[in-house]
């Protein structure tokens, strides 16, 4: 340990000389981070990282043992308890939309469609929206872009989705630019003859040529060609803005940012034009000049209709190695309810899921918890969604624990003459696996769902898992034909073995263990320097 302590001090001194302790501790954090990245560990927040490594080192020695990433106790439970309090989150009602809003990742819509968005709203709610479409799941190779001009009309608070605002919109102009011949030919083939003639492209259009799909100011004969390419802006009909506040003592600063949630896109392409959103897609982040922590935000913001953003390629974990525990990163909105999820993947192809339902968009008032257990199939790379993994989940057991008096009355009313005559009580768990005629409470067992998963390394949030978007009609993924082609909100890896380490497969495990212990001691050195810097 003394050797490693001295080695770390020497490396920092060689690189930064006699600079201040605060500079040295940040330098050492970078050195530790470079060591940890060798074996797939992610350095996100230096106040968490040392305890994370200390409590997860057991996994490197024995994969059958699991330990929390965010300190002693259950990392996932601690994280979910933090979400349940709604700490540091404020919902803005009505939303204050003026400014630029950008994607923080390569988003996946049903189809699949790979997209990034840059939306600008003025003080009078007029807007210019840029949507950039790509041929790959990392949003590195642009296919075409859309520039959409119009005006938003805010309405009343939504009665169906608490915390959201309903809205309508008017479109003025929509232009399209394709970036290669294949995409230009494909899009022109989608347009009907009336549209092609109206836009002056009866024989199709060329790459890098601006084509107006809608131009209400050109003449009185307005032709809207957007339905032919599957475009709908109904996401503007449901809006929620929230402000996040986070204190980062290791940098002695407070961070505040705004997120804009817009309505979801229907999972069935044919239903897009008539669907009114019931929950949300991935949030946009309000762009802040010189904000260093979101590289993708700047890349997307700097893109234009003619020069679209190209995101950096990222590591691919296909098929997804299912290990460890994962928990919701946000209080999630699903149609008319709110929930957090906690999934656990065990070594013997078993899985557990705990779904905590709440009243309100900050998940502060618990209603009930639904817990399930079952098995999952061997993960296989998706042939439909690039970067995705197909997994089939079988649910074999289900329990329900009511946590609010209102749900007690509802469950007892539904259970009369069914559900094995269960009498529901506050805080008591009832097993409804073999409940017979209990479809009003839960689906019949066993339940098989065909899902889609992916894992990403997020510079903002760490290691994230995305599961498939549920059907917009409220159904389940009960057949191969209903397998999703897009993802819902992510879950963060919060406990257990790091699956990216498993995905590598080719490195020597003994070498990895040595690197891990060196990294642990490196972070111990960092903590000591952090303390010295704090009192110097």
């Amino acid at each position: 340990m003394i050797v490693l302590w001295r080695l770390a001090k020497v490396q920092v001194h060689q690189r930064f000389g006699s600079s201040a302790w605060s500079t040295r501790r940040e330098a050492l954090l970078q050195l530790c981070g470079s060591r940890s990245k060798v074996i797939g560990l992610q350095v996100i927040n230096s106040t968490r990282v040392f305890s994370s490594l200390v409590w997860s080192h057991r996994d490197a020695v024995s994969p059958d043992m699991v330990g929390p990433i965010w300190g002693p106790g259950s990392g996932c439970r601690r994280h979910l308890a933090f979400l349940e309090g709604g700490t540091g989150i404020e919902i803005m009602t009505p939303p204050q939309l003026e400014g630029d809003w950008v994607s923080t990742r390569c988003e996946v819509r049903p189809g699949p469609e790979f997209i990034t968005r840059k939306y600008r709203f003025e003080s009078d709610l007029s807007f210019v929206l840029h949507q950039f479409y790509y041929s790959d799941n990392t949003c590195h190779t642009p296919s075409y872009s859309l520039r959409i001009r119009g005006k938003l009309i805010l309405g009343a608070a939504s009665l169906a989705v608490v915390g959201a605002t309903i809205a309508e919109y008017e479109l003025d102009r929509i232009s399209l630019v394709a970036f290669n011949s294949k995409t230009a030919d494909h899009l022109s083939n989608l347009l009907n003859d009336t549209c092609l003639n109206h836009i002056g492209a009866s024989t199709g259009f060329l790459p890098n040529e601006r084509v107006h799909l809608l131009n209400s100011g050109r003449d009185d004969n307005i032709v809207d060609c957007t339905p032919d390419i599957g475009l709908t802006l109904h996401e503007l009909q449901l809006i929620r803005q929230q402000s996040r506040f986070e204190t980062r003592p290791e940098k002695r600063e407070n961070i505040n940012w705004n997120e804009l949630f817009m309505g979801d896109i229907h999972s069935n392409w044919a239903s897009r034009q008539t669907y009114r959103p019931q929950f949300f897609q991935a949030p946009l982040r309000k762009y802040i000049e010189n904000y260093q922590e979101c590289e993708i935000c700047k890349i997307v913001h700097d893109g234009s209709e003619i020069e679209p953003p190209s995101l950096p390629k990222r590591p691919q974990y296909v098929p997804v190695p299912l290990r460890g525990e994962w928990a919701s990163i946000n209080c999630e909105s699903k149609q008319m309810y709110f929930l957090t999820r906690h999934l656990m993947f065990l070594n013997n192809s078993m899985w557990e899921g705990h779904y905590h339902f709440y009243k309100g968009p900050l998940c502060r008032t618990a209603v009930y918890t639904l817990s399930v257990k079952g098995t999952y199939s061997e993960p296989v790379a998706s042939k439909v969604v690039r970067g995705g993994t197909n997994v089939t989940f079988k649910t074999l057991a289900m329990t329900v624990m009511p946590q609010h008096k209102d749900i007690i009355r509802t469950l007892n009313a539904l259970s009369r003459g069914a559900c094995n005559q269960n009498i529901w009580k506050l805080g008591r768990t009832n097993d409804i696996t073999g409940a017979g005629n209990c479809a009003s409470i839960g689906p019949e067992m066993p339940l098989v769902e065909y899902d889609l998963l992916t894992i990403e390394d997020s510079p903002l949030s760490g290691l994230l898992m995305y599961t498939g978007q549920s059907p917009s009609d409220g159904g389940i993924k009960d057949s191969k034909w209903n397998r999703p082609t897009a993802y819902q909100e992510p879950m963060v890896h919060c406990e257990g073995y790091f699956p990216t380490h498993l995905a590598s497969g080719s490195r020597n495990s003994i070498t990895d263990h040595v690197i891990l212990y060196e990294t642990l001691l490196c972070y111990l050195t960092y903590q000591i320097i952090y303390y010295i810097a704090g009192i110097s």
Side-chain angles (χ1 to χ4, degrees):
M1 178 175 177
I2 295 175
V3 173
L4 288 171
W5 160 262
R6 290 176 178 173
L7 178 61
K9 289 181 66 178
V10 168
Q11 292 183 64
V12 174
H13 184 76
Q14 287 176 345
R15 186 173 297 187
F16 290 91
S18 57
S19 56
W21 275 108
S22 60
T23 303
R24 290 190 181 192
R25 64 183 176 88
E26 292 303 321
L28 184 56
L29 181 61
Q30 294 175 14
L31 291 175
C32 299
S34 65
R35 297 295 287 168
S36 68
K37 288 179 182 177
V38 174
I39 53 173
L41 300 179
Q42 298 298 307
V43 181
I44 304 157
N45 188 322
S46 56
T47 58
R48 298 173 179 167
V49 73
F50 181 68
S51 60
S52 300
L53 290 167
V54 168
W55 287 93
S56 62
H57 79 278
R58 295 172 293 173
D59 297 329
V61 180
S62 173
D64 294 328
M65 301 177 68
V66 294
I69 286 180
W70 288 342
S74 171
C76 293
R77 285 197 295 270
R78 288 162 60 91
H79 170 64
L80 290 173
F82 180 81
L83 283 186
E84 185 175 309
T87 305
I89 299 177
E90 179 185 0
I91 295 179
M92 312 293 286
T93 305
Q96 306 297 315
L97 300 178
E98 183 178 0
D100 295 330
W101 304 83
V102 295
S103 297
T104 61
R105 60 179 292 267
C106 181
E107 302 169 10
V108 185
R109 289 183 168 183
E113 292 176 335
F114 306 109
I115 180 177
T116 60
R117 296 175 289 159
K118 180 177 77 169
Y119 290 1
R120 177 172 181 81
F121 293 91
E122 303 295 343
S123 58
D124 63 353
L125 296 183
S126 60
F127 59 73
V128 175
L129 316 180
H130 287 88
Q131 296 185 350
F132 307 102
Y133 293 81
Y134 302 81
S135 60
D136 65 300
N137 65 301
T138 63
C139 291
H140 182 73
T141 307
S143 295
Y144 67 97
S145 69
L146 294 171
R147 184 179 185 273
I148 304 150
R149 195 176 74 182
K151 187 168 185 177
L152 189 69
I153 304 154
L154 291 179
S158 172
L159 298 178
V161 184
V162 179
T165 299
I166 59 175
E168 298 297 339
Y169 61 93
E170 298 173 350
L171 298 178
D172 177 46
R173 181 177 298 176
I174 300 177
S175 58
L176 177 151
V177 177
F179 300 113
N180 57 70
S181 299
K182 182 178 179 181
T183 301
D185 291 342
H186 172 68
L187 292 173
S188 60
N189 288 334
L190 292 177
L191 298 178
N192 59 55
D193 291 340
T194 302
C195 279
L196 288 173
N197 290 328
H198 184 74
I199 64 179
S202 57
T203 59
F205 46 88
L206 301 174
N208 301 311
E209 176 186 34
R210 181 183 286 111
V211 177
H212 292 286
L213 300 179
L214 172 67
N215 191 349
S216 61
R218 189 169 69 176
D219 53 45
D220 294 332
N221 183 24
I222 299 175
V223 177
D224 183 2
C225 300
T226 56
D228 288 357
I229 64 169
L231 175 65
T232 174
L233 275 301
H234 293 344
E235 62 183 283
L236 296 171
Q237 294 178 331
L238 190 67
I239 294 174
R240 188 180 86 201
Q241 180 187 350
Q242 65 183 31
S243 177
R244 285 181 174 269
F245 178 85
E246 181 179 344
T247 300
R248 298 186 178 178
E250 81 283 4
K251 292 187 177 181
R252 299 179 181 178
E253 64 181 4
N254 297 323
I255 301 296
N256 179 266
W257 70 91
N258 284 276
E259 293 176 319
L260 181 61
F261 293 81
M262 310 195 83
D264 66 305
I265 307 299
H266 200 284
S267 56
N268 185 340
W269 181 284
S271 301
R272 284 188 175 187
Q273 300 298 324
T274 58
Y275 175 70
R276 192 170 190 107
Q278 300 179 44
F279 49 104
F280 300 104
Q281 55 184 308
L284 302 176
R285 179 171 290 200
K286 191 168 188 177
Y287 181 72
I288 302 174
E289 199 72 38
N290 299 321
Y291 182 58
Q292 301 296 325
E293 295 196 13
C294 186
E295 177 188 1
I296 291 178
C297 295
K298 178 172 175 52
I299 294 175
V300 175
H301 180 266
D302 291 347
S304 67
E305 179 186 19
I306 303 299
E307 297 182 356
S310 175
L311 304 192
K313 292 185 177 181
R314 62 175 185 267
Q316 302 288 294
Y317 307 111
V318 181
V320 165
L322 293 181
R323 291 290 296 275
E325 300 189 25
W326 307 78
S328 296
I329 198 169
N330 289 309
C331 177
E332 300 175 12
S333 171
K334 292 292 184 294
Q335 295 176 334
M336 297 183 67
Y337 51 86
F338 304 91
L339 82 158
T340 60
R341 294 173 291 154
H342 178 194
L343 300 185
M344 294 175 279
F345 298 98
L346 310 177
N347 294 338
N348 51 357
S349 295
M350 299 292 292
W351 73 284
E352 293 184 18
H354 302 278
Y355 304 86
H356 307 279
F357 293 82
Y358 301 86
K359 287 185 175 182
L362 296 181
C363 288
R364 287 176 175 167
T365 304
V367 178
Y368 67 94
T369 295
L370 178 71
S371 299
V372 296
K373 293 182 180 181
T375 61
Y376 62 86
S377 67
E378 181 180 356
V380 178
S382 172
K383 296 180 180 179
V384 176
V385 182
R386 186 179 302 180
T389 296
N390 289 342
V391 180
T392 301
F393 292 97
K394 178 181 283 188
T395 301
L396 302 175
M398 180 180 294
T399 63
V400 176
M401 182 180 71
Q403 297 165 278
H404 195 277
K405 60 182 181 180
D406 291 345
I407 199 67
I408 294 287
R409 289 193 293 265
T410 301
L411 290 173
N412 281 326
L414 291 172
S415 298
R416 291 170 185 165
C419 300
N420 291 344
Q421 302 293 331
N422 278 325
I423 302 300
W424 299 87
K425 293 184 179 180
L426 194 67
R428 189 179 76 177
T429 299
N430 277 358
D431 187 342
I432 63 171
T433 303
N437 182 25
C438 201
S440 56
I441 296 178
E444 185 177 351
M445 298 291 112
L447 173 66
V448 178
E449 289 195 282
Y450 296 81
D451 215 335
L452 176 76
L453 282 72
T454 191
I455 285 179
E456 293 181 6
D457 290 324
S458 167
L460 294 174
S461 305
L463 197 61
L464 301 178
M465 174 183 284
Y466 294 80
T467 59
Q469 176 181 326
S470 299
S472 300
D473 60 6
I476 58 176
K477 316 162 207 175
D478 58 354
S479 73
K480 294 180 179 180
W481 313 114
N482 283 340
R483 193 185 296 274
T485 56
Y487 303 104
Q488 55 184 305
E489 287 196 60
M491 294 178 289
V492 67
H493 182 255
C494 53
E495 190 166 329
Y497 204 69
F498 282 82
T500 54
H501 173 66
L502 290 175
S504 63
S506 60
R507 292 189 303 270
N508 183 285
S509 59
I510 296 178
T511 302
D512 283 348
H513 296 164
V514 172
I515 294 174
L516 177 59
Y517 281 108
E518 289 181 359
T519 305
L520 290 171
L521 295 175
C522 188
Y523 277 111
L524 177 60
T525 306
Y526 164 79
Q527 292 293 331
I528 295 172
I529 293 180
Y530 177 78
Y531 173 75
I532 294 174
I535 63 176
S536 61

